[in-house]
């Protein structure tokens, strides 16, 4: 449901677009491991050649205490899940001024205000209803890759927009305390 293969293809498209447009390259870090890690590595190795491959990294799962440092070093938190409640990573990233790019599912829209504190991508309605992830190679998969990567590219290209969303995300999270969340 976290759609790591979709995430891998987003990484590839963003980096290729940045190279094609002679833009500053974004470094992507996927944290955690799982049964699709080898497939993600294959996608990266097949599509990101030479020095470009160093901009897409996978880090094994880290202790919870170490996630703070990783999130603090991150500008954008990408989570293209097909199903979520309100992702804890969104709370954590926003508390550190991170901008969210995620899927508008579950309670994500209660926390992330689209266009103000982050960018929420609309899921494929039929897949979301069924609780299914995108299938690699299908048109809806390609469309999702474009949607997520365009959101990241917009934030990377527009420093003023990024800063505005980062500040708004930090301010928004301040209104979420344990009593209001419960």
């Amino acid at each position: 449901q976290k759609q790591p293969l979709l995430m891998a293809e987003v990484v590839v498209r963003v980096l290729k677009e940045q190279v094609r447009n002679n833009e500053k390259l974004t470094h992507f870090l996927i944290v955690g491991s799982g049964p699709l890690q080898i497939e993600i590595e294959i996608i990266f190795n097949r599509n990101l050649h030479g020095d470009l491959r160093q901009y897409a990294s996978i880090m094994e799962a880290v202790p919870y205490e170490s996630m703070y440092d990783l999130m603090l070093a991150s500008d954008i938190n990408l989570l293209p899940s097909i199903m979520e409640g309100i992702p804890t990573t969104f709370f954590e990233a926003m508390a550190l001024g991170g901008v969210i790019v995620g899927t508008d599912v579950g309670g994500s829209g209660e926390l992330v205000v689209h266009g103000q504190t982050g960018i929420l991508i609309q899921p494929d309605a039929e897949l979301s209803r069924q609780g299914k992830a995108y299938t690699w190679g299908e048109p809806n998969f390609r469309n999702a890759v474009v949607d997520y990567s365009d959101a990241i590219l917009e934030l990377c290209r527009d420093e003023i927009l990024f800063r505005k969303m980062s500040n708004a995300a930090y301010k928004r999270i301040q209104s979420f305390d344990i009593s209001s969340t419960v």
Side-chain angles (χ1 to χ4, degrees):
Q1 78 184 29
K2 302 293 184 193
Q3 303 195 102
L5 299 180
L6 175 64
M7 188 181 299
E9 293 288 346
V10 168
V11 168
V12 167
R13 183 170 184 271
V14 167
L15 289 171
K16 285 185 171 184
E17 285 290 314
Q18 289 174 330
V19 166
R20 189 174 55 163
N21 292 311
N22 201 30
E23 297 170 331
K24 181 180 174 188
L25 299 178
T26 301
H27 189 118
F28 290 89
L29 176 62
I30 297 174
V31 179
S33 59
L36 296 175
Q37 182 174 346
I38 292 172
E39 290 182 57
I40 293 169
E41 292 280 2
I42 290 169
I43 290 169
F44 288 165
N45 292 334
R46 182 177 354 114
N47 293 288
L48 303 175
H49 305 289
D51 290 342
L52 195 57
R53 179 61 181 86
Q54 71 183 339
Y55 289 91
S57 304
I58 300 175
M59 178 181 274
E60 295 290 325
V62 298
Y64 180 76
E65 303 79 39
S66 300
M67 285 303 296
Y68 174 81
D69 292 329
L70 293 173
M71 287 204 159
L72 189 58
S74 301
D75 294 319
I76 299 171
N77 185 290
L78 171 63
L79 188 63
S81 299
I82 196 68
M83 295 186 320
E84 285 290 346
I86 299 179
T88 304
T89 58
F90 285 5
F91 281 98
E92 295 167 337
M94 290 172 71
L96 297 170
V99 177
I100 304 301
V101 174
T103 312
D104 191 5
V105 293
S108 297
E110 293 177 43
L111 180 61
V112 179
V113 179
H114 177 73
Q116 293 177 25
T117 64
I119 299 173
L120 293 176
I121 305 299
Q122 293 301 313
D124 181 282
E126 182 60 23
L127 290 177
S128 185
R129 187 182 64 73
Q130 297 174 22
K132 293 183 178 177
Y134 292 102
T135 303
W136 193 87
E138 291 184 357
N140 58 2
F141 181 90
R142 300 281 9 132
N143 293 340
V145 169
V146 170
D147 290 344
Y148 286 101
S149 58
D150 282 354
I152 293 169
L153 286 165
E154 179 181 16
L155 291 168
C156 291
R157 290 172 177 157
D158 189 339
E159 179 73 20
I160 294 170
L161 176 66
F162 173 80
R163 289 286 163 227
K164 183 178 173 185
M165 283 190 182
S166 173
N167 291 333
Y170 179 77
K171 287 177 186 167
R172 175 131 175 96
I173 199 68
Q174 304 309 308
S175 68
F176 282 81
D177 63 20
I178 192 68
S179 62
S180 66
T181 304
V182 170

mmCIF file with all atom_site columns, all heavy atoms in Angstrom, residues 15-35:
data_model
loop_
_atom_site.group_PDB
_atom_site.id
_atom_site.type_symbol
_atom_site.label_atom_id
_atom_site.label_alt_id
_atom_site.label_comp_id
_atom_site.label_asym_id
_atom_site.label_entity_id
_atom_site.label_seq_id
_atom_site.pdbx_PDB_ins_code
_atom_site.Cartn_x
_atom_site.Cartn_y
_atom_site.Cartn_z
_atom_site.occupancy
_atom_site.B_iso_or_equiv
_atom_site.pdbx_formal_charge
_atom_site.auth_seq_id
_atom_site.auth_comp_id
_atom_site.auth_asym_id
_atom_site.auth_atom_id
_atom_site.pdbx_PDB_model_num
ATOM 1   N N   . LEU A 1 15 ? 14.602 13.064 -11.546 1.00 0.00 ? 15 LEU A N   1
ATOM 2   C CA  . LEU A 1 15 ? 16.025 13.242 -11.848 1.00 0.00 ? 15 LEU A CA  1
ATOM 3   C C   . LEU A 1 15 ? 16.265 13.421 -13.345 1.00 0.00 ? 15 LEU A C   1
ATOM 4   O O   . LEU A 1 15 ? 17.058 14.270 -13.758 1.00 0.00 ? 15 LEU A O   1
ATOM 5   C CB  . LEU A 1 15 ? 16.839 12.077 -11.288 1.00 0.00 ? 15 LEU A CB  1
ATOM 6   C CG  . LEU A 1 15 ? 16.954 12.070 -9.761  1.00 0.00 ? 15 LEU A CG  1
ATOM 7   C CD1 . LEU A 1 15 ? 17.582 10.771 -9.274  1.00 0.00 ? 15 LEU A CD1 1
ATOM 8   C CD2 . LEU A 1 15 ? 17.737 13.277 -9.261  1.00 0.00 ? 15 LEU A CD2 1
ATOM 9   N N   . LYS A 1 16 ? 15.578 12.644 -14.172 1.00 0.00 ? 16 LYS A N   1
ATOM 10  C CA  . LYS A 1 16 ? 15.752 12.781 -15.620 1.00 0.00 ? 16 LYS A CA  1
ATOM 11  C C   . LYS A 1 16 ? 15.274 14.143 -16.109 1.00 0.00 ? 16 LYS A C   1
ATOM 12  O O   . LYS A 1 16 ? 15.894 14.751 -16.982 1.00 0.00 ? 16 LYS A O   1
ATOM 13  C CB  . LYS A 1 16 ? 15.039 11.648 -16.353 1.00 0.00 ? 16 LYS A CB  1
ATOM 14  C CG  . LYS A 1 16 ? 15.780 10.330 -16.265 1.00 0.00 ? 16 LYS A CG  1
ATOM 15  C CD  . LYS A 1 16 ? 15.106 9.270  -17.104 1.00 0.00 ? 16 LYS A CD  1
ATOM 16  C CE  . LYS A 1 16 ? 15.973 8.027  -17.198 1.00 0.00 ? 16 LYS A CE  1
ATOM 17  N NZ  . LYS A 1 16 ? 15.367 7.016  -18.096 1.00 0.00 ? 16 LYS A NZ  1
ATOM 18  N N   . GLU A 1 17 ? 14.169 14.634 -15.560 1.00 0.00 ? 17 GLU A N   1
ATOM 19  C CA  . GLU A 1 17 ? 13.667 15.966 -15.924 1.00 0.00 ? 17 GLU A CA  1
ATOM 20  C C   . GLU A 1 17 ? 14.659 17.040 -15.502 1.00 0.00 ? 17 GLU A C   1
ATOM 21  O O   . GLU A 1 17 ? 14.903 17.994 -16.242 1.00 0.00 ? 17 GLU A O   1
ATOM 22  C CB  . GLU A 1 17 ? 12.309 16.227 -15.270 1.00 0.00 ? 17 GLU A CB  1
ATOM 23  C CG  . GLU A 1 17 ? 11.153 15.501 -15.911 1.00 0.00 ? 17 GLU A CG  1
ATOM 24  C CD  . GLU A 1 17 ? 10.813 16.034 -17.291 1.00 0.00 ? 17 GLU A CD  1
ATOM 25  O OE1 . GLU A 1 17 ? 10.737 17.264 -17.455 1.00 0.00 ? 17 GLU A OE1 1
ATOM 26  O OE2 . GLU A 1 17 ? 10.648 15.211 -18.211 1.00 0.00 ? 17 GLU A OE2 1
ATOM 27  N N   . GLN A 1 18 ? 15.232 16.894 -14.319 1.00 0.00 ? 18 GLN A N   1
ATOM 28  C CA  . GLN A 1 18 ? 16.199 17.885 -13.844 1.00 0.00 ? 18 GLN A CA  1
ATOM 29  C C   . GLN A 1 18 ? 17.456 17.883 -14.706 1.00 0.00 ? 18 GLN A C   1
ATOM 30  O O   . GLN A 1 18 ? 18.005 18.951 -15.004 1.00 0.00 ? 18 GLN A O   1
ATOM 31  C CB  . GLN A 1 18 ? 16.522 17.640 -12.372 1.00 0.00 ? 18 GLN A CB  1
ATOM 32  C CG  . GLN A 1 18 ? 15.352 17.992 -11.466 1.00 0.00 ? 18 GLN A CG  1
ATOM 33  C CD  . GLN A 1 18 ? 15.576 17.621 -10.018 1.00 0.00 ? 18 GLN A CD  1
ATOM 34  O OE1 . GLN A 1 18 ? 16.280 16.674 -9.694  1.00 0.00 ? 18 GLN A OE1 1
ATOM 35  N NE2 . GLN A 1 18 ? 14.952 18.378 -9.121  1.00 0.00 ? 18 GLN A NE2 1
ATOM 36  N N   . VAL A 1 19 ? 17.917 16.716 -15.117 1.00 0.00 ? 19 VAL A N   1
ATOM 37  C CA  . VAL A 1 19 ? 19.083 16.631 -16.003 1.00 0.00 ? 19 VAL A CA  1
ATOM 38  C C   . VAL A 1 19 ? 18.745 17.274 -17.351 1.00 0.00 ? 19 VAL A C   1
ATOM 39  O O   . VAL A 1 19 ? 19.515 18.083 -17.870 1.00 0.00 ? 19 VAL A O   1
ATOM 40  C CB  . VAL A 1 19 ? 19.541 15.168 -16.192 1.00 0.00 ? 19 VAL A CB  1
ATOM 41  C CG1 . VAL A 1 19 ? 20.511 15.043 -17.352 1.00 0.00 ? 19 VAL A CG1 1
ATOM 42  C CG2 . VAL A 1 19 ? 20.168 14.646 -14.913 1.00 0.00 ? 19 VAL A CG2 1
ATOM 43  N N   . ARG A 1 20 ? 17.590 16.917 -17.889 1.00 0.00 ? 20 ARG A N   1
ATOM 44  C CA  . ARG A 1 20 ? 17.188 17.430 -19.204 1.00 0.00 ? 20 ARG A CA  1
ATOM 45  C C   . ARG A 1 20 ? 17.088 18.953 -19.205 1.00 0.00 ? 20 ARG A C   1
ATOM 46  O O   . ARG A 1 20 ? 17.415 19.609 -20.189 1.00 0.00 ? 20 ARG A O   1
ATOM 47  C CB  . ARG A 1 20 ? 15.866 16.817 -19.635 1.00 0.00 ? 20 ARG A CB  1
ATOM 48  C CG  . ARG A 1 20 ? 15.518 17.148 -21.075 1.00 0.00 ? 20 ARG A CG  1
ATOM 49  C CD  . ARG A 1 20 ? 14.311 16.441 -21.527 1.00 0.00 ? 20 ARG A CD  1
ATOM 50  N NE  . ARG A 1 20 ? 13.247 16.763 -20.584 1.00 0.00 ? 20 ARG A NE  1
ATOM 51  C CZ  . ARG A 1 20 ? 11.971 16.581 -20.824 1.00 0.00 ? 20 ARG A CZ  1
ATOM 52  N NH1 . ARG A 1 20 ? 11.584 16.060 -21.956 1.00 0.00 ? 20 ARG A NH1 1
ATOM 53  N NH2 . ARG A 1 20 ? 11.061 16.896 -19.929 1.00 0.00 ? 20 ARG A NH2 1
ATOM 54  N N   . ASN A 1 21 ? 16.649 19.529 -18.076 1.00 0.00 ? 21 ASN A N   1
ATOM 55  C CA  . ASN A 1 21 ? 16.474 20.973 -17.978 1.00 0.00 ? 21 ASN A CA  1
ATOM 56  C C   . ASN A 1 21 ? 17.668 21.679 -17.328 1.00 0.00 ? 21 ASN A C   1
ATOM 57  O O   . ASN A 1 21 ? 17.583 22.860 -17.008 1.00 0.00 ? 21 ASN A O   1
ATOM 58  C CB  . ASN A 1 21 ? 15.199 21.297 -17.207 1.00 0.00 ? 21 ASN A CB  1
ATOM 59  C CG  . ASN A 1 21 ? 13.969 20.882 -17.978 1.00 0.00 ? 21 ASN A CG  1
ATOM 60  O OD1 . ASN A 1 21 ? 13.822 21.186 -19.153 1.00 0.00 ? 21 ASN A OD1 1
ATOM 61  N ND2 . ASN A 1 21 ? 13.082 20.163 -17.326 1.00 0.00 ? 21 ASN A ND2 1
ATOM 62  N N   . ASN A 1 22 ? 18.754 20.920 -17.130 1.00 0.00 ? 22 ASN A N   1
ATOM 63  C CA  . ASN A 1 22 ? 19.979 21.479 -16.542 1.00 0.00 ? 22 ASN A CA  1
ATOM 64  C C   . ASN A 1 22 ? 19.709 22.165 -15.196 1.00 0.00 ? 22 ASN A C   1
ATOM 65  O O   . ASN A 1 22 ? 20.168 23.271 -14.940 1.00 0.00 ? 22 ASN A O   1
ATOM 66  C CB  . ASN A 1 22 ? 20.655 22.440 -17.522 1.00 0.00 ? 22 ASN A CB  1
ATOM 67  C CG  . ASN A 1 22 ? 22.114 22.632 -17.188 1.00 0.00 ? 22 ASN A CG  1
ATOM 68  O OD1 . ASN A 1 22 ? 22.769 21.740 -16.649 1.00 0.00 ? 22 ASN A OD1 1
ATOM 69  N ND2 . ASN A 1 22 ? 22.633 23.815 -17.498 1.00 0.00 ? 22 ASN A ND2 1
ATOM 70  N N   . GLU A 1 23 ? 18.933 21.481 -14.350 1.00 0.00 ? 23 GLU A N   1
ATOM 71  C CA  . GLU A 1 23 ? 18.553 22.007 -13.039 1.00 0.00 ? 23 GLU A CA  1
ATOM 72  C C   . GLU A 1 23 ? 19.371 21.332 -11.948 1.00 0.00 ? 23 GLU A C   1
ATOM 73  O O   . GLU A 1 23 ? 19.976 20.277 -12.158 1.00 0.00 ? 23 GLU A O   1
ATOM 74  C CB  . GLU A 1 23 ? 17.064 21.736 -12.777 1.00 0.00 ? 23 GLU A CB  1
ATOM 75  C CG  . GLU A 1 23 ? 16.154 22.428 -13.757 1.00 0.00 ? 23 GLU A CG  1
ATOM 76  C CD  . GLU A 1 23 ? 14.710 21.970 -13.658 1.00 0.00 ? 23 GLU A CD  1
ATOM 77  O OE1 . GLU A 1 23 ? 14.445 20.812 -13.281 1.00 0.00 ? 23 GLU A OE1 1
ATOM 78  O OE2 . GLU A 1 23 ? 13.839 22.785 -13.974 1.00 0.00 ? 23 GLU A OE2 1
ATOM 79  N N   . LYS A 1 24 ? 19.351 21.941 -10.778 1.00 0.00 ? 24 LYS A N   1
ATOM 80  C CA  . LYS A 1 24 ? 19.980 21.333 -9.615  1.00 0.00 ? 24 LYS A CA  1
ATOM 81  C C   . LYS A 1 24 ? 19.290 19.999 -9.340  1.00 0.00 ? 24 LYS A C   1
ATOM 82  O O   . LYS A 1 24 ? 18.067 19.902 -9.378  1.00 0.00 ? 24 LYS A O   1
ATOM 83  C CB  . LYS A 1 24 ? 19.831 22.264 -8.408  1.00 0.00 ? 24 LYS A CB  1
ATOM 84  C CG  . LYS A 1 24 ? 20.460 21.738 -7.151  1.00 0.00 ? 24 LYS A CG  1
ATOM 85  C CD  . LYS A 1 24 ? 20.272 22.712 -6.001  1.00 0.00 ? 24 LYS A CD  1
ATOM 86  C CE  . LYS A 1 24 ? 20.791 22.090 -4.723  1.00 0.00 ? 24 LYS A CE  1
ATOM 87  N NZ  . LYS A 1 24 ? 20.457 22.912 -3.558  1.00 0.00 ? 24 LYS A NZ  1
ATOM 88  N N   . LEU A 1 25 ? 20.100 18.975 -9.057  1.00 0.00 ? 25 LEU A N   1
ATOM 89  C CA  . LEU A 1 25 ? 19.549 17.636 -8.845  1.00 0.00 ? 25 LEU A CA  1
ATOM 90  C C   . LEU A 1 25 ? 19.097 17.446 -7.401  1.00 0.00 ? 25 LEU A C   1
ATOM 91  O O   . LEU A 1 25 ? 19.728 17.933 -6.471  1.00 0.00 ? 25 LEU A O   1
ATOM 92  C CB  . LEU A 1 25 ? 20.585 16.568 -9.209  1.00 0.00 ? 25 LEU A CB  1
ATOM 93  C CG  . LEU A 1 25 ? 21.054 16.575 -10.664 1.00 0.00 ? 25 LEU A CG  1
ATOM 94  C CD1 . LEU A 1 25 ? 22.120 15.514 -10.890 1.00 0.00 ? 25 LEU A CD1 1
ATOM 95  C CD2 . LEU A 1 25 ? 19.881 16.371 -11.613 1.00 0.00 ? 25 LEU A CD2 1
ATOM 96  N N   . THR A 1 26 ? 18.023 16.723 -7.242  1.00 0.00 ? 26 THR A N   1
ATOM 97  C CA  . THR A 1 26 ? 17.463 16.407 -5.935  1.00 0.00 ? 26 THR A CA  1
ATOM 98  C C   . THR A 1 26 ? 18.013 15.073 -5.471  1.00 0.00 ? 26 THR A C   1
ATOM 99  O O   . THR A 1 26 ? 18.108 14.133 -6.255  1.00 0.00 ? 26 THR A O   1
ATOM 100 C CB  . THR A 1 26 ? 15.924 16.328 -6.031  1.00 0.00 ? 26 THR A CB  1
ATOM 101 O OG1 . THR A 1 26 ? 15.432 17.579 -6.502  1.00 0.00 ? 26 THR A OG1 1
ATOM 102 C CG2 . THR A 1 26 ? 15.295 15.984 -4.699  1.00 0.00 ? 26 THR A CG2 1
ATOM 103 N N   . HIS A 1 27 ? 18.366 14.987 -4.198  1.00 0.00 ? 27 HIS A N   1
ATOM 104 C CA  . HIS A 1 27 ? 18.803 13.704 -3.642  1.00 0.00 ? 27 HIS A CA  1
ATOM 105 C C   . HIS A 1 27 ? 17.601 13.052 -2.968  1.00 0.00 ? 27 HIS A C   1
ATOM 106 O O   . HIS A 1 27 ? 16.941 13.656 -2.142  1.00 0.00 ? 27 HIS A O   1
ATOM 107 C CB  . HIS A 1 27 ? 19.926 13.874 -2.621  1.00 0.00 ? 27 HIS A CB  1
ATOM 108 C CG  . HIS A 1 27 ? 20.523 12.565 -2.216  1.00 0.00 ? 27 HIS A CG  1
ATOM 109 N ND1 . HIS A 1 27 ? 21.828 12.250 -2.449  1.00 0.00 ? 27 HIS A ND1 1
ATOM 110 C CD2 . HIS A 1 27 ? 19.984 11.475 -1.637  1.00 0.00 ? 27 HIS A CD2 1
ATOM 111 C CE1 . HIS A 1 27 ? 22.069 11.024 -2.012  1.00 0.00 ? 27 HIS A CE1 1
ATOM 112 N NE2 . HIS A 1 27 ? 20.945 10.545 -1.508  1.00 0.00 ? 27 HIS A NE2 1
ATOM 113 N N   . PHE A 1 28 ? 17.336 11.810 -3.348  1.00 0.00 ? 28 PHE A N   1
ATOM 114 C CA  . PHE A 1 28 ? 16.224 11.046 -2.789  1.00 0.00 ? 28 PHE A CA  1
ATOM 115 C C   . PHE A 1 28 ? 16.763 9.972  -1.868  1.00 0.00 ? 28 PHE A C   1
ATOM 116 O O   . PHE A 1 28 ? 17.739 9.289  -2.201  1.00 0.00 ? 28 PHE A O   1
ATOM 117 C CB  . PHE A 1 28 ? 15.419 10.378 -3.906  1.00 0.00 ? 28 PHE A CB  1
ATOM 118 C CG  . PHE A 1 28 ? 14.640 11.351 -4.732  1.00 0.00 ? 28 PHE A CG  1
ATOM 119 C CD1 . PHE A 1 28 ? 15.199 11.942 -5.844  1.00 0.00 ? 28 PHE A CD1 1
ATOM 120 C CD2 . PHE A 1 28 ? 13.337 11.662 -4.393  1.00 0.00 ? 28 PHE A CD2 1
ATOM 121 C CE1 . PHE A 1 28 ? 14.480 12.843 -6.613  1.00 0.00 ? 28 PHE A CE1 1
ATOM 122 C CE2 . PHE A 1 28 ? 12.607 12.561 -5.148  1.00 0.00 ? 28 PHE A CE2 1
ATOM 123 C CZ  . PHE A 1 28 ? 13.185 13.158 -6.268  1.00 0.00 ? 28 PHE A CZ  1
ATOM 124 N N   . LEU A 1 29 ? 16.122 9.805  -0.743  1.00 0.00 ? 29 LEU A N   1
ATOM 125 C CA  . LEU A 1 29 ? 16.482 8.771  0.212   1.00 0.00 ? 29 LEU A CA  1
ATOM 126 C C   . LEU A 1 29 ? 15.225 7.996  0.588   1.00 0.00 ? 29 LEU A C   1
ATOM 127 O O   . LEU A 1 29 ? 14.271 8.576  1.106   1.00 0.00 ? 29 LEU A O   1
ATOM 128 C CB  . LEU A 1 29 ? 17.109 9.383  1.463   1.00 0.00 ? 29 LEU A CB  1
ATOM 129 C CG  . LEU A 1 29 ? 17.459 8.412  2.588   1.00 0.00 ? 29 LEU A CG  1
ATOM 130 C CD1 . LEU A 1 29 ? 18.508 7.401  2.129   1.00 0.00 ? 29 LEU A CD1 1
ATOM 131 C CD2 . LEU A 1 29 ? 17.954 9.183  3.802   1.00 0.00 ? 29 LEU A CD2 1
ATOM 132 N N   . ILE A 1 30 ? 15.231 6.728  0.290   1.00 0.00 ? 30 ILE A N   1
ATOM 133 C CA  . ILE A 1 30 ? 14.150 5.835  0.698   1.00 0.00 ? 30 ILE A CA  1
ATOM 134 C C   . ILE A 1 30 ? 14.647 5.119  1.938   1.00 0.00 ? 30 ILE A C   1
ATOM 135 O O   . ILE A 1 30 ? 15.703 4.483  1.914   1.00 0.00 ? 30 ILE A O   1
ATOM 136 C CB  . ILE A 1 30 ? 13.793 4.823  -0.419  1.00 0.00 ? 30 ILE A CB  1
ATOM 137 C CG1 . ILE A 1 30 ? 13.276 5.576  -1.649  1.00 0.00 ? 30 ILE A CG1 1
ATOM 138 C CG2 . ILE A 1 30 ? 12.773 3.817  0.089   1.00 0.00 ? 30 ILE A CG2 1
ATOM 139 C CD1 . ILE A 1 30 ? 13.037 4.684  -2.857  1.00 0.00 ? 30 ILE A CD1 1
ATOM 140 N N   . VAL A 1 31 ? 13.875 5.240  3.011   1.00 0.00 ? 31 VAL A N   1
ATOM 141 C CA  . VAL A 1 31 ? 14.284 4.629  4.275   1.00 0.00 ? 31 VAL A CA  1
ATOM 142 C C   . VAL A 1 31 ? 13.404 3.421  4.540   1.00 0.00 ? 31 VAL A C   1
ATOM 143 O O   . VAL A 1 31 ? 12.181 3.509  4.529   1.00 0.00 ? 31 VAL A O   1
ATOM 144 C CB  . VAL A 1 31 ? 14.176 5.629  5.445   1.00 0.00 ? 31 VAL A CB  1
ATOM 145 C CG1 . VAL A 1 31 ? 14.588 4.966  6.744   1.00 0.00 ? 31 VAL A CG1 1
ATOM 146 C CG2 . VAL A 1 31 ? 15.037 6.851  5.172   1.00 0.00 ? 31 VAL A CG2 1
ATOM 147 N N   . GLY A 1 32 ? 14.052 2.293  4.789   1.00 0.00 ? 32 GLY A N   1
ATOM 148 C CA  . GLY A 1 32 ? 13.344 1.050  5.076   1.00 0.00 ? 32 GLY A CA  1
ATOM 149 C C   . GLY A 1 32 ? 13.634 0.018  4.019   1.00 0.00 ? 32 GLY A C   1
ATOM 150 O O   . GLY A 1 32 ? 14.108 0.334  2.924   1.00 0.00 ? 32 GLY A O   1
ATOM 151 N N   . SER A 1 33 ? 13.389 -1.200 4.364   1.00 0.00 ? 33 SER A N   1
ATOM 152 C CA  . SER A 1 33 ? 13.608 -2.279 3.409   1.00 0.00 ? 33 SER A CA  1
ATOM 153 C C   . SER A 1 33 ? 12.360 -3.143 3.374   1.00 0.00 ? 33 SER A C   1
ATOM 154 O O   . SER A 1 33 ? 11.479 -3.019 4.212   1.00 0.00 ? 33 SER A O   1
ATOM 155 C CB  . SER A 1 33 ? 14.824 -3.108 3.823   1.00 0.00 ? 33 SER A CB  1
ATOM 156 O OG  . SER A 1 33 ? 14.617 -3.654 5.113   1.00 0.00 ? 33 SER A OG  1
ATOM 157 N N   . GLY A 1 34 ? 12.302 -3.971 2.398   1.00 0.00 ? 34 GLY A N   1
ATOM 158 C CA  . GLY A 1 34 ? 11.152 -4.843 2.250   1.00 0.00 ? 34 GLY A CA  1
ATOM 159 C C   . GLY A 1 34 ? 11.311 -5.719 1.028   1.00 0.00 ? 34 GLY A C   1
ATOM 160 O O   . GLY A 1 34 ? 12.354 -5.694 0.356   1.00 0.00 ? 34 GLY A O   1
ATOM 161 N N   . PRO A 1 35 ? 10.280 -6.474 0.707   1.00 0.00 ? 35 PRO A N   1
ATOM 162 C CA  . PRO A 1 35 ? 10.381 -7.439 -0.385  1.00 0.00 ? 35 PRO A CA  1
ATOM 163 C C   . PRO A 1 35 ? 10.565 -6.820 -1.767  1.00 0.00 ? 35 PRO A C   1
ATOM 164 O O   . PRO A 1 35 ? 10.991 -7.512 -2.687  1.00 0.00 ? 35 PRO A O   1
ATOM 165 C CB  . PRO A 1 35 ? 9.051  -8.209 -0.304  1.00 0.00 ? 35 PRO A CB  1
ATOM 166 C CG  . PRO A 1 35 ? 8.126  -7.315 0.448   1.00 0.00 ? 35 PRO A CG  1
ATOM 167 C CD  . PRO A 1 35 ? 8.976  -6.502 1.366   1.00 0.00 ? 35 PRO A CD  1
#
